[in-house]
Amino acid sequence: MPVSPAKTALVVSAHSADFVWRAGGAIALHASRGYQVHIVCLSFGERGESAKLWRKGNMTEATVKAARREEAQAAADILGASVEFFDLGDYPLQITQEHLLRLADVYRRVQPAFVLSHSLKDPYNYDHPRAMDLAQEARIIAQAEGYKPGEQIVAAPPVYAFEPHQPEQCGWCPDVFLDITEVWAKKYAAIQCMAGQEHLWEYYTRVALQRGVQAKRNIGITAAKHIQYAEGFQSVFPRVTEELA
Amino acid sequence: MPVSPAKTALVVSAHSADFVWRAGGAIALHASRGYQVHIVCLSFGERGESAKLWRKGNMTEATVKAARREEAQAAADILGASVEFFDLGDYPLQITQEHLLRLADVYRRVQPAFVLSHSLKDPYNYDHPRAMDLAQEARIIAQAEGYKPGEQIVAAPPVYAFEPHQPEQCGWCPDVFLDITEVWAKKYAAIQCMAGQEHLWEYYTRVALQRGVQAKRNIGITAAKHIQYAEGFQSVFPRVTEELA
Amino acid sequence: MPVSPAKTALVVSAHSADFVWRAGGAIALHASRGYQVHIVCLSFGERGESAKLWRKGNMTEATVKAARREEAQAAADILGASVEFFDLGDYPLQITQEHLLRLADVYRRVQPAFVLSHSLKDPYNYDHPRAMDLAQEARIIAQAEGYKPGEQIVAAPPVYAFEPHQPEQCGWCPDVFLDITEVWAKKYAAIQCMAGQEHLWEYYTRVALQRGVQAKRNIGITAAKHIQYAEGFQSVFPRVTEELA
Amino acid sequence: MPVSPAKTALVVSAHSADFVWRAGGAIALHASRGYQVHIVCLSFGERGESAKLWRKGNMTEATVKAARREEAQAAADILGASVEFFDLGDYPLQITQEHLLRLADVYRRVQPAFVLSHSLKDPYNYDHPRAMDLAQEARIIAQAEGYKPGEQIVAAPPVYAFEPHQPEQCGWCPDVFLDITEVWAKKYAAIQCMAGQEHLWEYYTRVALQRGVQAKRNIGITAAKHIQYAEGFQSVFPRVTEELA
Amino acid sequence: MPVSPAKTALVVSAHSADFVWRAGGAIALHASRGYQVHIVCLSFGERGESAKLWRKGNMTEATVKAARREEAQAAADILGASVEFFDLGDYPLQITQEHLLRLADVYRRVQPAFVLSHSLKDPYNYDHPRAMDLAQEARIIAQAEGYKPGEQIVAAPPVYAFEPHQPEQCGWCPDVFLDITEVWAKKYAAIQCMAGQEHLWEYYTRVALQRGVQAKRNIGITAAKHIQYAEGFQSVFPRVTEELA
Amino acid sequence: MPVSPAKTALVVSAHSADFVWRAGGAIALHASRGYQVHIVCLSFGERGESAKLWRKGNMTEATVKAARREEAQAAADILGASVEFFDLGDYPLQITQEHLLRLADVYRRVQPAFVLSHSLKDPYNYDHPRAMDLAQEARIIAQAEGYKPGEQIVAAPPVYAFEPHQPEQCGWCPDVFLDITEVWAKKYAAIQCMAGQEHLWEYYTRVALQRGVQAKRNIGITAAKHIQYAEGFQSVFPRVTEELA
């Protein structure tokens, strides 16, 4: 592009840990290159993704949420991103038109160069596609001159679906691999903030290694640098480019 | 990519005019940036795409082929690319294993940074997907160390399907738009070499204008330069990138 | 499975007769093997599937519902299952979050070993996929430790879509055939309870015969017993097995 | 069909200009053959499709809506159709059950022989598939004897999705081409009523020309009359016919 | 269409009985309306669809073929169509380029107003999609002016896939229902010619009844005549029309 | 099933190592339960999957093939299966009708209770879907009474596609998970026979661990035994069952 895009990005995460497993590398990598990455956590995942916390006993919804908020904030700090919490409740996410417009306002404020959210389908977790739908519709509204006329509208930032837990069952297919080798240590540190989901640490380490191998299989040149860890993303929209190599 | 890829490209065209309508802009654009673009025309389209020539009367297969070769060579010259003709016959393309290996050898010689060919499905033209299949399988063979061991194998250059005549019926969906505004004059000049298919000149001008409008709708930044003409492409493989904006 | 699953099953039926046409054989078969099968009828189908009753004249919504309830209860009795009615109204089904949690509570109570509901798409009947969505999301909530912490959560029971009225138009494809020959008489008796929809009796008899023929075509062994009647189902989730034969 | 269908049609348009770009030819053609075509505009597109009006300055939502209503009415007059406005608001369309039943009542009143609305998917515009869903579900309710018993129900009129702005990205594929050459002048005159969207005039002229070329490529007989302009439609339901030619 | 199409049709049948089960109604109906329907049987189905004949004992390939030819000829006579046999062998169909051109020549000779063949996919029978591919590619060649220049080329007759044995498993979805009630007796008489496949008689009777019920569910007008038997077809190409009702 | 199926299985592997990575666990598990598992290696993968061997230098096609045969035989021995080599050449697999019938004869001899082969699509490796196509068509021929009449035909054994290297890109989605924890040591020992592809050892160990985690997420009962390693498979055909739990 002749004009350099704003160095900002927006991540819409259904529950407070999703952005770590699924996009922690992309966040850390772009942050390390000067991007201001902003994360919106729609819920704390207090019902659906806090099993270990509840099993501790003596927990209330408030204490679970507080623990989850702390973990997410710590992870965002490590990755170098800002984070805000909509606290909509999970299982199910309880979204009204007010939240849609609130997220549209975040788009207007952030003016993201790209957007990350969930897969369009997930039979294991209905909150995930709901979050993606919200992210997409809020973008559409933020693009409209007739919404809060006079404000700076957003352009057409690319939207990517990050990796769900069981990719094939979600009809998710990566068409972009991002080399995250140089920020892997940060991602793994952020992962370790998720004390309540320790069973996933090694799972997502293996995901990153597998995607790294696959990325190497799709590089167009033989002398490419070594890729060890990668993240996969699926584009929602076509991209505009000036070179096909 | 840290190492700059070879500035070469390969175009596999079922009939001798396909590369003009469907990828003339991409060819001219990359040629203008120093790419050596090489075109393989599998056939002259003597049966299927030379109706106007045949209607002239007094034509033989040989004279039709000669006329089509001349047109294709002139178009390639204008676009700035080299071209070679496999002369396999069309309707149907008559492909044997010998041609598959011959094309693999072209891959080895050209070492393309990217590859363009037809859509994977085309109910109006069985030669088109057959050409794409050949392009893909030849790439696979050229990647194998055990094929002519000792030769320089090829890496994993991205492969794109260029636009078929009736895109929706072919299940083709562009995920990349290439801005070809700056080389449109060359593409239109190349199009005009196709004297036998004048009915398609305006059709493909309109295609370029429509894709130009659509490209503008998918740009992530508001201050983007003006795009008037574009070509659409569909990726076969995921791409590896270092930035998502 | 080394541990035998609970012998319970849950059927979520949009209207009060759907479970008969689409899953009556599965219900009767499992009931005959000791399963406690529980049916939730979300509505009585008073608007959409009671044409014959309305045509009688002198009917009110209340009398139509009462007639439909009676038919459904009689059918469930014949099949050997329990049934409960949510009475949400049909055309459209009017579902709120309260009903979602109510169904999640049914999951917790029943602890089903498998679940049956509608196809994921049905252009002829929007209530049907809505019922399936509800069945799936209620399952997800019932699996979450953070929903009513301390209660026994449910595992991951397989979910099957039973056969819609026009299967191809609904994108429904059976990946399981269940031999219902031995309980066909019960299913047909249950079908006959649906006095208001007599035009469907022979239609669904033929469906069972066709699926029977198809089941025979997919048996891995030549000496299989005779299958005359079958029901088809489409799995939503992968299954876990210990043998592939 | 042995009995000639009612010569009426229903068009459900998300925003007040959609029916012009996407179905203006079909409307004018059928009107010219004696059909009473009725258009329902669910919103004025005041937020999402009135950028040029807002840029004029000194506009309020009320003045934008009034301008859009005037344009739409003028276009409908030219095409020969009646139009009514639900004024539900756009970006997002705000649909409740009340509107669903209101549209069902329109079906009952109009008794359409066919129905036109939006594509089932549109990642650029969530209002569009929402309008189609409403159109489909209202049709289902209008077919039910139990909805307002005693009224004349509707049969199963074919439903077509008209062309979205970026067809491939919407998964839209035309299976019907309608020759609109004889009413093109009317469609273009109606297009010109849309003063606020002048950038689309030539875009949709080119769409009509491209679809015209494609229509000619799909005619079963060689002596067909000349088609210059066409519109494409995608069927939602199978059609019933008495001849396959 | 302003010019009435040639009243001819072409049916391409992989094995000698396919045309009866899958398209016997369409053949009889069009024949009864003055169409010259021509059937090409690519093979006799001597290996794959003659189990009962082989079980008789004392059979050779020649005697099986002769029996199958006789049955097919008798069925064609009843339906009112001409038939020719390519005798390519089955399981697998053994197709060369010579047969492709031979079938293209049939197209040139017949100049069909429409074409019927198999589904594009059939995991139970690889000969079926192979026959459809042949039918489609031969059509493409017959359309080309450069194939046997000077001959009358064919236009773009619609191609339909008739119903396979297990429709959902073949990804086949009918988008056209043809009312065959008035010729059902002829179809059933033709079916009875297939002495070797008596187990299919009732199966395909039920198919016709089910499709009849479904056809009635998709009629746009309430006063439609009674449909009892129907056949379903899936279009390969878009159709061109002058009216959407 | 009332009659227990033959305890035999057939694996069709395009190259000599595929069966190890993709189905080694299934082979070892069934072998350990008394199944006679027979593997057909269509080629040695001498061109496409022997890069490390070729890099050693001083290799000929014959020596590479010999090394690959030895590795495959050793792996089959560890897994407890018999193996035979068709030696058709790879990149591309060179299949004729003779090989199709040869494989049909293997089906007749083995009478498999189930069949394993490759995914139906693989843009990285055209030999893989070609092998699956061969496996499926040979099964069809082996089912036909008219092929070598008098021989014992095969029934309809289920066919499964085992996991390709980049599953999402191959459109492969597992609908069955097989717990291979108890035979993992054997599978890993067989993997280690593949000296020429050491870079894949850890890759496929991670695949097994990921599928193990996913399998646990899809178990219908809470008290299930621990699954650590699993293999995923995609069914080609519907299965016939007598219980849905």
Side-chain angles (χ1 to χ4, degrees):
Chain A
M1 292 303 121
V3 176
S4 70
K7 300 202 100 180
T8 55
L10 179 62
V11 183
V12 180
S13 182
H15 311 103
S16 59
D18 285 320
F19 71 88
V20 183
W21 320 112
R22 312 188 191 296
I27 294 168
L29 186 72
H30 287 84
S32 77
R33 299 201 176 158
Y35 277 75
Q36 292 189 290
V37 183
H38 186 65
I39 301 158
V40 171
C41 289
L42 298 176
S43 80
F44 295 106
E46 59 270 22
R47 278 189 179 170
E49 310 195 345
S50 307
K52 202 173 161 188
L53 285 168
W54 287 107
R55 278 190 221 123
K56 279 187 182 176
N58 280 329
M59 300 301 280
T60 64
E61 199 175 271
T63 53
V64 168
K65 280 183 180 182
R68 293 281 291 177
R69 173 194 280 267
E70 217 170 287
E71 289 176 2
Q73 184 66 60
D77 290 347
I78 288 170
L79 298 173
S82 55
V83 60
E84 90 187 83
F85 302 93
F86 273 26
D87 192 11
L88 306 187
D90 74 327
Y91 280 50
L93 272 181
Q94 294 162 51
I95 297 173
T96 66
Q97 182 157 320
E98 178 199 330
H99 309 124
L100 175 61
L101 302 184
R102 182 175 168 194
L103 188 60
D105 292 341
V106 174
Y107 270 89
R108 287 274 174 94
R109 192 179 80 227
V110 171
Q111 293 284 332
F114 66 90
V115 180
L116 306 179
S117 192
H118 291 266
S119 58
L120 295 153
K121 180 189 156 193
D122 189 338
Y124 297 95
N125 196 314
Y126 273 39
D127 289 352
H128 288 172
R130 210 169 263 148
M132 176 51 126
D133 268 331
L134 186 75
Q136 283 199 64
E137 187 157 18
R139 173 180 171 275
I140 290 168
I141 290 170
Q143 292 176 315
E145 302 233 13
Y147 174 67
K148 299 196 176 172
E151 280 192 9
Q152 171 67 35
I153 62 168
V154 304
V159 178
Y160 299 94
F162 43 56
E163 181 158 352
H165 194 66
Q166 299 194 48
E168 298 94 351
Q169 308 301 330
C170 298
W172 179 88
C173 179
D175 63 351
V176 184
F177 288 118
L178 186 73
D179 177 4
I180 61 163
T181 309
E182 71 185 69
V183 295
W184 171 252
K186 278 188 199 168
K187 176 164 181 176
Y188 194 65
I191 280 177
Q192 289 171 303
C193 295
M194 300 297 141
Q197 292 167 289
E198 200 172 341
H199 60 292
L200 295 177
W201 297 6
E202 294 318 301
Y203 187 85
Y204 281 100
T205 299
R206 290 190 300 262
V207 166
L209 287 165
Q210 299 304 82
R211 297 305 177 192
V213 173
Q214 293 171 10
K216 279 193 287 185
R217 292 254 177 155
N218 285 286
I219 292 182
I221 46 170
T222 44
K225 73 165 188 186
H226 186 59
I227 298 177
Q228 192 176 0
Y229 297 95
E231 282 176 351
F233 298 93
Q234 179 172 3
S235 305
V236 172
F237 297 101
R239 68 190 167 104
V240 182
T241 189
E242 297 202 327
E243 199 158 332
L244 294 171
Chain B
M1 292 302 119
V3 176
S4 71
K7 299 202 101 180
T8 55
L10 179 62
V11 183
V12 180
S13 182
H15 311 103
S16 59
D18 286 320
F19 72 87
V20 183
W21 319 112
R22 314 189 189 294
I27 295 168
L29 185 71
H30 287 85
S32 77
R33 298 197 178 162
Y35 276 75
Q36 291 189 290
V37 183
H38 186 65
I39 302 157
V40 171
C41 290
L42 298 176
S43 81
F44 294 106
E46 59 270 21
R47 279 189 180 170
E49 310 195 344
S50 308
K52 202 173 162 189
L53 286 169
W54 287 107
R55 278 189 221 122
K56 279 187 181 176
N58 281 328
M59 301 301 280
T60 63
E61 198 175 272
T63 54
V64 168
K65 280 183 180 181
R68 294 279 292 177
R69 173 194 282 265
E70 218 169 287
E71 289 176 1
Q73 184 65 60
D77 290 348
I78 288 170
L79 299 173
S82 54
V83 60
E84 90 187 85
F85 302 94
F86 274 26
D87 192 12
L88 306 187
D90 74 326
Y91 280 50
L93 273 181
Q94 294 162 52
I95 297 173
T96 66
Q97 182 156 322
E98 178 200 328
H99 309 125
L100 174 61
L101 301 184
R102 181 173 168 197
L103 188 60
D105 292 342
V106 174
Y107 270 89
R108 288 274 173 95
R109 192 179 79 228
V110 171
Q111 294 283 335
F114 66 91
V115 180
L116 306 179
S117 192
H118 291 267
S119 58
L120 295 155
K121 179 190 156 193
D122 189 340
Y124 297 93
N125 197 315
Y126 273 39
D127 288 352
H128 289 171
R130 211 170 263 149
M132 177 49 127
D133 268 331
L134 186 74
Q136 285 200 64
E137 186 157 20
R139 173 179 171 277
I140 291 168
I141 291 170
Q143 291 176 314
E145 302 233 15
Y147 174 67
K148 299 197 176 172
E151 280 192 10
Q152 171 67 35
I153 63 167
V154 304
V159 178
Y160 300 94
F162 43 56
E163 181 158 351
H165 195 67
Q166 299 193 48
E168 297 94 352
Q169 308 301 329
C170 298
W172 178 89
C173 179
D175 63 351
V176 184
F177 288 118
L178 186 73
D179 177 3
I180 62 164
T181 309
E182 72 185 70
V183 295
W184 170 252
K186 278 189 198 169
K187 176 163 181 177
Y188 194 65
I191 280 177
Q192 288 171 305
C193 295
M194 300 298 142
Q197 291 168 289
E198 199 173 341
H199 60 293
L200 294 178
W201 297 5
E202 295 318 302
Y203 186 85
Y204 281 100
T205 299
R206 289 190 301 262
V207 166
L209 287 165
Q210 300 304 82
R211 298 305 177 192
V213 173
Q214 292 171 11
K216 278 193 288 185
R217 291 253 179 155
N218 286 286
I219 293 182
I221 46 170
T222 43
K225 73 164 187 186
H226 185 59
I227 297 177
Q228 192 176 2
Y229 297 95
E231 282 175 351
F233 297 93
Q234 180 172 3
S235 306
V236 173
F237 297 101
R239 69 192 166 102
V240 182
T241 189
E242 298 201 326
E243 198 157 334
L244 294 171
Chain C
M1 290 305 121
V3 176
S4 72
K7 300 201 102 181
T8 56
L10 179 62
V11 183
V12 180
S13 182
H15 311 103
S16 59
D18 285 320
F19 73 87
V20 183
W21 320 112
R22 312 188 191 296
I27 294 168
L29 186 70
H30 287 84
S32 76
R33 300 202 176 158
Y35 277 76
Q36 290 189 291
V37 183
H38 186 66
I39 301 158
V40 171
C41 289
L42 298 176
S43 80
F44 295 105
E46 59 270 23
R47 279 189 178 170
E49 309 194 346
S50 308
K52 202 174 161 189
L53 285 169
W54 287 107
R55 278 189 221 122
K56 281 188 183 175
N58 280 331
M59 301 300 280
T60 63
E61 199 176 271
T63 54
V64 168
K65 281 183 180 182
R68 294 280 291 175
R69 173 195 281 265
E70 218 168 287
E71 290 176 2
Q73 183 66 60
D77 289 348
I78 289 170
L79 299 172
S82 55
V83 59
E84 91 187 81
F85 301 94
F86 274 26
D87 192 12
L88 306 188
D90 73 326
Y91 280 50
L93 272 181
Q94 294 162 51
I95 298 172
T96 66
Q97 182 157 321
E98 179 199 329
H99 309 125
L100 174 61
L101 301 184
R102 183 175 167 194
L103 188 60
D105 292 342
V106 174
Y107 270 88
R108 287 274 173 94
R109 192 180 79 228
V110 172
Q111 294 282 336
F114 66 91
V115 180
L116 306 179
S117 191
H118 292 267
S119 59
L120 295 154
K121 180 189 155 192
D122 190 338
Y124 297 93
N125 197 315
Y126 273 40
D127 289 352
H128 288 172
R130 211 169 264 148
M132 176 51 126
D133 268 331
L134 186 75
Q136 285 200 64
E137 186 158 19
R139 174 180 171 274
I140 291 167
I141 290 171
Q143 292 176 315
E145 302 234 13
Y147 174 68
K148 299 195 176 172
E151 280 192 10
Q152 170 69 33
I153 63 167
V154 304
V159 178
Y160 300 93
F162 43 55
E163 180 158 352
H165 194 66
Q166 299 193 50
E168 298 94 351
Q169 309 300 330
C170 298
W172 178 87
C173 179
D175 63 351
V176 184
F177 287 119
L178 186 74
D179 177 4
I180 61 163
T181 309
E182 72 185 69
V183 294
W184 171 252
K186 278 189 199 168
K187 175 164 181 176
Y188 193 66
I191 280 178
Q192 288 170 305
C193 296
M194 300 298 142
Q197 292 168 288
E198 199 172 341
H199 59 293
L200 295 178
W201 297 4
E202 295 318 303
Y203 187 85
Y204 282 100
T205 299
R206 290 190 300 263
V207 166
L209 287 164
Q210 300 302 82
R211 298 305 177 191
V213 173
Q214 293 170 11
K216 278 193 287 185
R217 292 254 177 155
N218 286 287
I219 292 182
I221 46 170
T222 43
K225 73 164 188 189
H226 186 58
I227 297 177
Q228 191 176 1
Y229 298 94
E231 282 175 349
F233 297 93
Q234 180 172 3
S235 307
V236 173
F237 297 102
R239 67 191 167 104
V240 182
T241 188
E242 297 201 329
E243 197 157 333
L244 294 170
Chain D
M1 291 304 121
V3 175
S4 70
K7 300 203 103 181
T8 55
L10 179 61
V11 183
V12 180
S13 181
H15 311 103
S16 58
D18 285 319
F19 72 86
V20 184
W21 319 112
R22 313 191 190 294
I27 295 168
L29 186 70
H30 287 84
S32 76
R33 298 197 179 162
Y35 277 77
Q36 290 188 292
V37 183
H38 185 66
I39 301 158
V40 171
C41 289
L42 298 176
S43 80
F44 295 106
E46 59 270 23
R47 278 188 179 171
E49 309 194 346
S50 308
K52 201 173 161 189
L53 285 169
W54 286 108
R55 277 190 220 122
K56 279 187 181 175
N58 281 327
M59 301 300 280
T60 63
E61 199 175 271
T63 54
V64 168
K65 281 183 179 182
R68 295 279 292 176
R69 172 193 282 267
E70 218 169 287
E71 290 176 1
Q73 184 65 61
D77 289 347
I78 289 170
L79 298 173
S82 55
V83 60
E84 89 186 87
F85 301 94
F86 274 25
D87 192 12
L88 306 186
D90 73 327
Y91 280 52
L93 273 181
Q94 294 162 51
I95 298 172
T96 66
Q97 182 156 321
E98 177 200 329
H99 309 123
L100 174 61
L101 301 185
R102 182 174 168 195
L103 188 59
D105 291 341
V106 174
Y107 270 89
R108 287 272 174 96
R109 192 180 78 228
V110 172
Q111 293 284 334
F114 66 91
V115 180
L116 306 179
S117 192
H118 291 267
S119 57
L120 295 154
K121 179 189 156 192
D122 190 339
Y124 297 94
N125 197 315
Y126 272 39
D127 288 352
H128 288 172
R130 211 169 262 148
M132 176 51 128
D133 268 331
L134 186 74
Q136 285 200 64
E137 186 157 20
R139 173 180 171 276
I140 291 167
I141 291 170
Q143 292 176 315
E145 302 232 14
Y147 174 68
K148 299 194 175 172
E151 280 192 9
Q152 170 68 35
I153 63 166
V154 304
V159 178
Y160 300 94
F162 42 56
E163 179 158 352
H165 195 66
Q166 299 193 50
E168 298 94 351
Q169 308 302 328
C170 298
W172 178 87
C173 178
D175 64 351
V176 184
F177 288 119
L178 185 73
D179 177 3
I180 61 164
T181 309
E182 72 185 69
V183 295
W184 171 251
K186 278 188 199 168
K187 175 164 181 177
Y188 194 66
I191 280 178
Q192 288 172 304
C193 296
M194 301 296 142
Q197 292 168 288
E198 200 172 339
H199 60 292
L200 295 177
W201 297 5
E202 294 319 302
Y203 186 85
Y204 281 100
T205 299
R206 290 191 300 263
V207 166
L209 287 165
Q210 300 301 84
R211 297 304 176 193
V213 173
Q214 293 171 12
K216 278 193 287 185
R217 291 253 178 155
N218 286 286
I219 293 182
I221 46 169
T222 43
K225 72 165 188 188
H226 185 59
I227 297 176
Q228 192 176 2
Y229 298 94
E231 282 175 350
F233 297 93
Q234 180 172 1
S235 306
V236 172
F237 297 101
R239 69 192 167 102
V240 182
T241 189
E242 297 201 328
E243 196 157 334
L244 294 171
Chain E
M1 291 304 120
V3 176
S4 71
K7 300 201 102 181
T8 55
L10 179 62
V11 183
V12 180
S13 182
H15 311 102
S16 58
D18 285 321
F19 72 88
V20 183
W21 320 112
R22 313 187 190 297
I27 295 168
L29 185 71
H30 286 84
S32 77
R33 298 201 176 157
Y35 276 76
Q36 292 189 290
V37 184
H38 186 65
I39 301 159
V40 171
C41 289
L42 298 177
S43 80
F44 295 105
E46 59 270 22
R47 280 189 177 171
E49 310 196 343
S50 307
K52 202 174 161 189
L53 285 169
W54 287 107
R55 278 189 220 123
K56 280 187 181 174
N58 280 329
M59 300 300 281
T60 64
E61 198 175 271
T63 53
V64 168
K65 280 183 181 181
R68 295 279 292 175
R69 172 194 282 266
E70 218 169 287
E71 290 176 359
Q73 185 65 59
D77 290 347
I78 289 170
L79 299 173
S82 55
V83 61
E84 91 186 83
F85 300 94
F86 273 25
D87 191 12
L88 306 187
D90 73 327
Y91 280 49
L93 273 182
Q94 294 161 53
I95 297 172
T96 67
Q97 182 157 322
E98 178 201 330
H99 309 125
L100 174 61
L101 302 184
R102 182 175 168 194
L103 187 59
D105 291 343
V106 174
Y107 270 89
R108 287 274 174 93
R109 192 179 79 228
V110 172
Q111 293 283 335
F114 67 90
V115 180
L116 306 179
S117 191
H118 292 267
S119 59
L120 295 154
K121 180 189 156 191
D122 189 339
Y124 297 93
N125 197 314
Y126 272 39
D127 288 352
H128 288 171
R130 211 169 263 148
M132 176 49 126
D133 268 331
L134 186 75
Q136 284 200 64
E137 187 157 19
R139 174 179 170 277
I140 291 168
I141 292 170
Q143 291 176 314
E145 301 234 13
Y147 174 68
K148 299 196 177 172
E151 281 192 10
Q152 171 68 34
I153 62 168
V154 303
V159 178
Y160 299 94
F162 44 54
E163 180 158 353
H165 194 66
Q166 298 193 49
E168 298 95 350
Q169 309 300 329
C170 298
W172 178 88
C173 179
D175 63 351
V176 184
F177 289 117
L178 186 73
D179 177 4
I180 61 164
T181 309
E182 72 186 65
V183 294
W184 171 252
K186 280 190 198 168
K187 177 164 180 175
Y188 194 65
I191 279 177
Q192 288 171 303
C193 296
M194 300 298 141
Q197 293 168 288
E198 201 173 340
H199 59 293
L200 295 177
W201 297 5
E202 295 317 303
Y203 186 85
Y204 281 100
T205 299
R206 290 190 300 261
V207 166
L209 287 165
Q210 301 300 84
R211 298 304 177 192
V213 173
Q214 293 170 11
K216 278 192 288 184
R217 292 253 177 156
N218 286 285
I219 292 182
I221 46 169
T222 43
K225 74 166 186 184
H226 185 58
I227 297 177
Q228 191 176 3
Y229 297 94
E231 282 175 350
F233 298 93
Q234 180 172 4
S235 306
V236 173
F237 297 102
R239 68 191 168 105
V240 182
T241 189
E242 298 201 327
E243 197 157 334
L244 294 171
Chain F
M1 292 302 121
V3 176
S4 72
K7 298 201 105 182
T8 55
L10 179 62
V11 183
V12 180
S13 181
H15 311 103
S16 58
D18 286 320
F19 72 87
V20 184
W21 319 112
R22 314 189 189 296
I27 295 168
L29 185 70
H30 287 84
S32 77
R33 300 201 175 158
Y35 276 76
Q36 290 189 292
V37 184
H38 185 65
I39 301 159
V40 171
C41 289
L42 298 177
S43 80
F44 295 106
E46 59 271 21
R47 279 188 178 171
E49 309 195 345
S50 308
K52 201 173 162 189
L53 285 169
W54 287 107
R55 278 189 220 121
K56 280 188 182 175
N58 281 330
M59 301 300 280
T60 64
E61 199 175 270
T63 53
V64 168
K65 281 183 180 180
R68 296 278 292 177
R69 173 194 280 267
E70 218 168 286
E71 289 176 2
Q73 184 65 61
D77 290 347
I78 288 170
L79 299 173
S82 55
V83 60
E84 91 186 83
F85 301 94
F86 274 25
D87 192 12
L88 306 187
D90 73 327
Y91 281 51
L93 273 182
Q94 293 161 53
I95 298 172
T96 66
Q97 182 157 322
E98 178 200 329
H99 310 124
L100 174 61
L101 301 185
R102 182 174 168 195
L103 188 59
D105 292 342
V106 173
Y107 270 89
R108 288 273 173 93
R109 192 179 78 228
V110 171
Q111 294 283 335
F114 66 91
V115 180
L116 306 179
S117 191
H118 291 267
S119 59
L120 294 154
K121 180 190 156 192
D122 189 340
Y124 297 94
N125 197 314
Y126 273 39
D127 288 352
H128 288 172
R130 212 169 262 147
M132 176 50 126
D133 268 331
L134 186 75
Q136 285 199 64
E137 187 157 19
R139 173 178 170 277
I140 291 167
I141 291 170
Q143 292 176 315
E145 302 233 13
Y147 174 68
K148 299 196 175 172
E151 281 193 9
Q152 170 70 33
I153 62 168
V154 303
V159 178
Y160 300 94
F162 43 55
E163 180 158 352
H165 194 66
Q166 299 192 50
E168 298 95 350
Q169 308 301 329
C170 298
W172 179 88
C173 179
D175 63 350
V176 184
F177 288 118
L178 186 73
D179 177 3
I180 61 163
T181 309
E182 72 186 67
V183 295
W184 171 251
K186 278 189 198 168
K187 176 164 180 175
Y188 194 65
I191 279 178
Q192 288 171 305
C193 296
M194 299 299 141
Q197 293 168 289
E198 199 173 340
H199 59 294
L200 295 178
W201 296 5
E202 295 318 303
Y203 186 85
Y204 281 100
T205 300
R206 289 189 301 261
V207 166
L209 287 165
Q210 301 302 84
R211 298 304 177 193
V213 173
Q214 293 171 12
K216 279 192 288 184
R217 291 253 178 155
N218 286 286
I219 293 182
I221 45 169
T222 43
K225 74 164 187 189
H226 185 58
I227 297 177
Q228 191 175 4
Y229 297 95
E231 282 175 350
F233 297 93
Q234 180 172 3
S235 307
V236 172
F237 297 101
R239 68 192 167 102
V240 182
T241 189
E242 298 201 328
E243 196 157 335
L244 294 171

